[in-house]
Amino acid sequence: FPVTILPESDPLSPLPLPRSTCPREYWPFEFVYLPIFASYLLMVAKTKKWFYFAAVNPSMLNGGMFGNTKSEMYLLLDPAYVPLFVQIDCQDSASTIHEKLVSNHLEFPLMAKPEVGERGYKIQRILDEHALKAYHQQISTQYLLQKWVNMPLEISIFIYKLPGDDSYTISSIVGKELLSIVGDGQKTIGQLIEDFPRARLQISRLYPRWKEKWNQILDKGERLTLTDIANHSKGARFYNLTHHLTSDWNKRINQIILNRDGFNYGRFDLRCCDVMDFPNGKPVCIIELNGMGAEPIDMYEEGIPLSQGISILLKHWKIQCRIAEAQLAKGIPVPDAKTGFKRFFEYKRLVKHSYI
């Protein structure tokens, strides 16, 4: 079979796909969220506050919509569920980083993630000192080095707490499957990637990592996991697990979140060995917590039509608005327009310029 070799100097722009084969999570953000923007403006007019949504989660900066750090979000959770981590400054020397790792009993492999970021950008598994050095040289903001959680299953749980409720409601439980390919005994890794639409869209990220094995042929039935991050923008596949929901899920959520008055809406991602580990009280690790900026990712499940996905989005937006109105009525403060827009543009500049 002919093999397509991409030179190292090639910018590796994703190859074009017809919309019919392009997963919805790759469609323009503005297109998917157009109905939400109209609802947002109506809510602004109603509350006379541009940043009314900050009232939903008062324990998070801007309600968790933007600009909040990962280490601050972890403070909302029972520490027993959070993998050990240490904060690294981009100006830290190699010796300083080494000292931080040793003093916190952290060993490779590690997970590196920017303190402030979105859509899984620059989250990377770090296998050794060489990889850590390379990562440190290309990032220009604070980041976390976190213990790698060696559990095979990643699950996202979306929760909210309506005004007057004492406990959280779970709206969805979604499993995440890392981007992978399966060999047929004939095609190379590169060919399998190019033949798989979901992987093909990630070729600009995948080629630098797999270029040394690009021409290797996988055995028939052999599965190769291509990424370490279960993010839909990184090619992960989402599937519904909400049918497993019982009251035991809610009970454990109420145990994990420490500041329940300050957190009313969001999603957390956890790793475990089996889907029933969480409700059965077995060990799990929470690797991410998101507030108002969290998407109800069941809208991206395979097989769900666009109309149903937007319906899921609108349902959650109405829940946000209901919580925000109740919080504002209680006098929960939110940023004024000047402060809010200043924070927003500072955040956008940080995200834009944090990476070389």
Side-chain angles (χ1 to χ4, degrees):
F1 288 85
V3 177
T4 302
I5 298 296
L6 300 172
E8 294 186 28
S9 59
D10 193 294
L12 295 175
S13 298
L15 302 176
L17 287 175
R19 171 146 311 174
S20 61
T21 63
C22 182
R24 187 166 66 251
E25 55 264 41
Y26 295 104
W27 290 11
F29 176 88
E30 295 80 5
F31 179 83
V32 177
Y33 276 80
L34 187 60
I36 296 300
F37 185 67
S39 298
Y40 164 72
L41 292 179
L42 288 174
M43 192 66 177
V44 169
K46 184 176 182 180
T47 62
K48 296 181 174 56
K49 297 181 185 296
W50 283 98
F51 298 89
Y52 68 86
F53 49 79
V56 173
N57 295 320
S59 60
M60 288 181 162
L61 180 68
N62 308 313
M65 181 67 85
F66 59 85
N68 46 301
T69 67
K70 292 178 174 61
S71 57
E72 289 173 343
M73 289 190 288
Y74 286 140
L75 295 177
L76 300 175
L77 304 170
D78 184 334
Y81 293 92
V82 179
L84 190 64
F85 68 89
V86 64
Q87 188 182 68
I88 305 296
D89 190 273
C90 62
Q91 301 299 323
D92 283 348
S93 64
S95 60
T96 298
I97 296 174
H98 178 74
E99 290 172 5
K100 288 183 177 182
L101 293 178
V102 171
S103 61
N104 286 276
H105 308 288
L106 285 168
E107 299 178 349
F108 297 103
L110 300 166
M111 183 61 79
K113 53 181 72 173
E115 269 279 29
V116 178
E118 56 188 18
R119 291 182 171 260
Y121 191 65
K122 274 297 176 182
I123 297 180
Q124 183 177 321
R125 188 182 183 188
I126 305 296
L127 297 177
D128 51 34
E129 291 278 2
H130 177 76
L132 176 56
K133 180 179 179 181
Y135 183 89
H136 188 70
Q137 289 175 341
Q138 63 178 291
I139 194 166
S140 56
T141 187
Q142 286 185 330
Y143 63 95
L144 304 182
L145 287 176
Q146 191 171 46
K147 179 181 178 181
W148 172 255
V149 180
N150 190 25
M151 293 179 172
L153 182 60
E154 184 164 333
I155 296 175
S156 287
I157 305 175
F158 206 104
I159 62 174
Y160 60 86
K161 183 156 58 69
L162 291 172
D165 287 355
D166 294 325
S167 60
Y168 292 98
T169 297
I170 297 175
S171 66
S172 66
I173 306 170
V174 178
K176 297 180 173 184
E177 181 182 279
L178 293 170
L179 181 63
S180 62
I181 51 176
V182 179
D184 60 2
Q186 296 179 318
K187 293 182 180 179
T188 65
I189 289 174
Q191 290 171 328
L192 291 169
I193 288 174
E194 291 174 350
D195 286 349
F196 182 25
R198 188 175 286 274
R200 192 182 185 201
L201 283 168
Q202 298 291 331
I203 199 169
S204 60
R205 296 185 178 97
L206 296 176
Y207 179 73
R209 175 172 179 177
W210 296 104
K211 61 183 178 181
E212 294 181 2
K213 297 183 178 181
W214 202 254
N215 294 321
Q216 179 179 319
I217 296 176
L218 293 182
D219 293 336
K220 187 174 182 178
E222 181 183 357
R223 179 177 293 274
L224 177 65
T225 300
L226 299 171
T227 63
D228 299 316
I229 310 302
N231 187 284
H232 67 78
S233 65
K234 300 291 189 293
R237 183 181 73 88
F238 297 161
Y239 55 97
N240 198 306
L241 293 172
T242 310
H243 55 278
H244 290 286
L245 180 60
T246 65
S247 60
D248 290 330
W249 289 76
N250 301 76
K251 289 177 183 178
R252 197 165 192 192
I253 283 172
N254 290 317
Q255 295 170 359
I256 289 174
I257 299 175
L258 299 180
N259 187 354
R260 290 167 57 187
D261 291 333
F263 182 77
N264 296 297
Y265 180 97
R267 190 193 77 235
F268 58 87
D269 305 328
L270 62 90
R271 282 187 177 267
C272 54
C273 294
D274 183 86
V275 66
M276 298 308 294
D277 284 354
F278 186 84
N280 290 337
K282 294 183 179 180
V284 300
C285 285
I286 298 177
I287 56 176
E288 196 78 30
L289 177 68
N290 299 280
M292 279 292 293
E295 290 183 298
I297 63 172
D298 48 323
M299 65 181 283
Y300 293 122
E301 289 174 15
E302 283 190 337
I304 288 184
L306 176 62
S307 58
Q308 186 177 347
I310 291 179
S311 176
I312 292 171
L313 195 59
L314 287 171
K315 170 192 170 185
H316 284 78
W317 189 263
K318 290 176 182 178
I319 291 171
Q320 290 181 12
C321 294
R322 183 177 171 185
I323 298 172
E325 288 184 288
Q327 292 285 85
L328 291 172
K330 292 194 300 185
I332 300 297
V334 298
D336 57 31
K338 181 179 179 180
T339 302
F341 280 112
K342 180 181 178 182
R343 289 178 183 176
F344 175 74
F345 289 117
E346 286 176 349
Y347 164 71
K348 299 304 286 186
R349 282 194 297 270
L350 175 64
V351 172
K352 181 178 180 180
H353 298 296
S354 291
Y355 316 107
I356 299 172

